Amino acid sequence: MAGNFAVSAPGKIILFGEHSVVHAKPAIAAAVGLRTYLLVSPPEKPGWITLEFPDIKLNKSWPVDKLPFVAKSGKIPDELDEAVVGKINDLLADVENTFQHAAALAFLYLYVSICDEKTEAKSYTAHSLLPVGAGLGSSASISVCVASALLKVSNSFVRDPIEEINAWSFIGEKCIHGNPSGIDNAVATRGGAVYYKKPDVLRPITNFPPLQLVLTNTRVPRRTSELVAGVKELKERIPSVMEPILDAMGSLADEADKTLSSLGGDPVALSAKLAELARINHGLLVSIGVSHPTLEKVKSTSDTLGLGQTKLTGAGGGGCAVTIVTATDDSEATVHEKIERFRAQMPEFEVFETLLGAKGAGFAEVDASISSAKFASFIASDYDRFAWKYW
Ligand code: MEV
């Protein structure tokens, strides 16, 4: 593609199976309407690539002839090459902020792996409408945007763009999180809702029902890699207790999967059953130490108001909680009023309603008159005006 273009990918929520999915148990996740967008435009300086990500105050450029390009083998790796990580870390010695460092490492690792010296130098400008570090898959949506933009710029798509974007974005996720399960990048690539079990079970859940969900961002920042490492350490230390808990979390995902196919047409029965499973899943997540007092506040507020059942979503330790609204046999006005009371009782948190099953990775041509600064200031309705096509 000769002119400027943008790519975009959604965030996700995990409905069942966070953490246990890292230990090869099944999980269910779905794409949300909030997305990350990445503009590819001419370079600021010839022969230099730039990564600009104003949301995390990152703006760095590198000369292409100083990048440690990897010899291409025709295969997409499933592990990081630590020697390459080391060389990129040398280029990032002055980037101290952890979010900035993780984003720049993922970008450069994918750049030297997918592109080569001959790839036209470009500027890459990211803007995420997802809260960063909140459990909504912002890092996976960034990895998917970077992987798809670089595959496109370097004409590297070979056979199956979805497979290739997914596999490369998993490598980007590894740069950011260390030991990701792969569920976040799978959902950000494909969109919709998926049943996933590492390493290779990935089944789209078609006709995902329009569940009424409330997402609450506690605004407590946390690092997925640290929470995942804590669960691993607990499993190694007390395997006789941890293994049945992780198995039970996997069984909850299986039970939810059966429920979705048997009760999909009955919204009241479906939300009641899924809410019950969510309550159990949250209890198990509390027991393995990944909740947080703010998440417990969200849970007790929704319990007190009778709004529905709340579980943490994503890695926990802060971040977001999801409430499956079960007050669906109340009138719409009563549900609305309950949500407003829920919001009013926790003014320190961000509360929003969301629908699941958004589209996956997409791209669109962008008029050259749209500067990177303008692109990075857009809101969702501005991006919606582009003519998106989805892989
Ligand atoms: C993060 O969104 C979910 C975790 O299960 C980690 C992962 O699956 O990579 C905690």
Side-chain angles (χ1 to χ4, degrees):
M1 193 182 269
N4 295 1
F5 71 95
V7 291
S8 117
K12 62 88 201 22
I13 69 166
I14 296 186
L15 277 170
F16 297 99
E18 48 276 276
H19 286 290
S20 44
V21 67
V22 176
H23 301 274
K25 314 295 174 201
I28 291 179
V32 292
L34 301 171
R35 305 178 73 88
T36 298
Y37 302 85
L38 180 78
L39 174 71
V40 182
S41 57
E44 285 175 7
K45 283 190 263 183
W48 287 62
I49 55 167
T50 297
L51 175 62
E52 199 184 346
F53 195 174
D55 301 307
I56 56 168
K57 301 187 174 52
L58 174 66
N59 187 342
K60 295 285 296 176
S61 299
W62 301 273
V64 169
D65 60 6
K66 293 278 181 310
L67 296 179
F69 286 104
V70 171
K72 307 295 177 278
S73 70
K75 275 177 124 181
I76 304 179
D78 47 23
E79 290 299 337
L80 293 183
D81 179 333
E82 287 306 327
V84 177
V85 172
K87 287 182 197 161
I88 294 175
N89 276 335
D90 291 344
L91 292 173
L92 299 176
D94 58 335
V95 182
E96 278 169 19
N97 174 285
T98 17
F99 284 123
Q100 293 175 350
H101 188 275
L105 174 63
F107 173 76
L108 284 180
Y109 195 99
L110 292 179
Y111 198 92
V112 300
S113 304
I114 296 173
C115 303
D116 61 24
E117 298 81 348
K118 295 192 217 74
T119 308
E120 225 183 315
K122 297 277 184 190
S123 270
Y124 297 83
T125 306
H127 180 37
S128 189
L129 301 182
L130 286 152
V132 173
L136 296 184
S138 61
S139 69
S141 71
I142 292 159
S143 291
V144 168
C145 284
V146 170
S148 48
L150 297 180
L151 285 161
K152 212 163 160 54
V153 161
S154 61
N155 290 318
S156 301
F157 283 122
V158 181
R159 209 170 22 86
D160 181 344
I162 287 282
E163 282 297 324
E164 290 153 23
I165 294 169
N166 187 41
W168 279 116
S169 61
F170 180 62
I171 292 295
E173 275 278 85
K174 284 204 157 212
C175 294
I176 301 174
H177 284 325
N179 182 24
S181 65
I183 191 167
D184 291 10
N185 55 283
V187 176
T189 304
R190 285 161 205 276
V194 300
Y195 173 96
Y196 176 83
K197 185 167 178 290
K198 152 175 148 171
D200 52 14
V201 179
L202 180 65
R203 175 166 45 77
I205 302 176
T206 46
N207 300 326
F208 196 85
L211 285 177
Q212 190 166 10
L213 298 177
V214 176
L215 267 178
T216 305
N217 180 8
T218 64
R219 303 183 205 261
V220 173
R222 79 293 176 286
R223 295 210 60 200
T224 299
S225 53
E226 283 165 15
L227 288 143
V228 168
V231 173
K232 179 165 178 266
E233 186 276 328
L234 194 57
K235 181 174 176 246
E236 281 163 5
R237 204 153 38 78
I238 328 178
S240 62
V241 172
M242 284 296 285
E243 270 157 20
I245 293 178
L246 296 171
D247 281 342
M249 290 176 170
S251 302
L252 285 163
D254 278 331
E255 194 61 38
D257 184 43
K258 273 193 247 149
T259 305
L260 283 163
S261 51
S262 61
L263 291 179
D266 179 347
V268 174
L270 180 74
S271 52
K273 179 72 193 285
L274 292 181
E276 182 173 57
L277 300 175
R279 189 190 68 222
I280 301 170
N281 201 162
H282 182 73
L284 295 174
L285 288 161
V286 172
S287 76
I288 65 169
V290 296
S291 189
H292 185 272
T294 53
L295 292 165
E296 295 311 306
K297 179 169 179 184
V298 180
K299 179 154 181 61
S300 69
T301 308
S302 70
D303 286 353
T304 309
L305 289 171
L307 182 63
Q309 287 297 335
T310 296
K311 70 178 271 291
L312 70 84
T313 183
C320 283
V322 57
T323 303
I324 300 180
V325 175
T326 51
T328 40
D329 46 356
D330 292 353
S331 71
E332 220 175 278
T334 314
V335 176
H336 181 73
E337 197 226 321
K338 278 189 180 171
I339 294 173
E340 285 317 307
R341 277 163 57 203
F342 180 72
R343 193 193 306 275
Q345 287 183 22
M346 301 176 297
E348 68 279 35
F349 302 154
E350 185 189 11
V351 174
F352 46 98
E353 288 178 77
T354 186
L355 278 180
L356 297 184
K359 295 267 194 204
F363 63 95
E365 287 180 37
V366 175
D367 196 279
S369 64
I370 296 177
S371 67
S372 56
K374 190 169 171 99
F375 182 86
S377 71
F378 277 172
I379 57 172
S381 54
D382 298 317
Y383 294 118
D384 286 348
R385 280 199 280 275
F386 295 161
W388 292 103
K389 296 189 188 95
Y390 297 93
W391 276 291

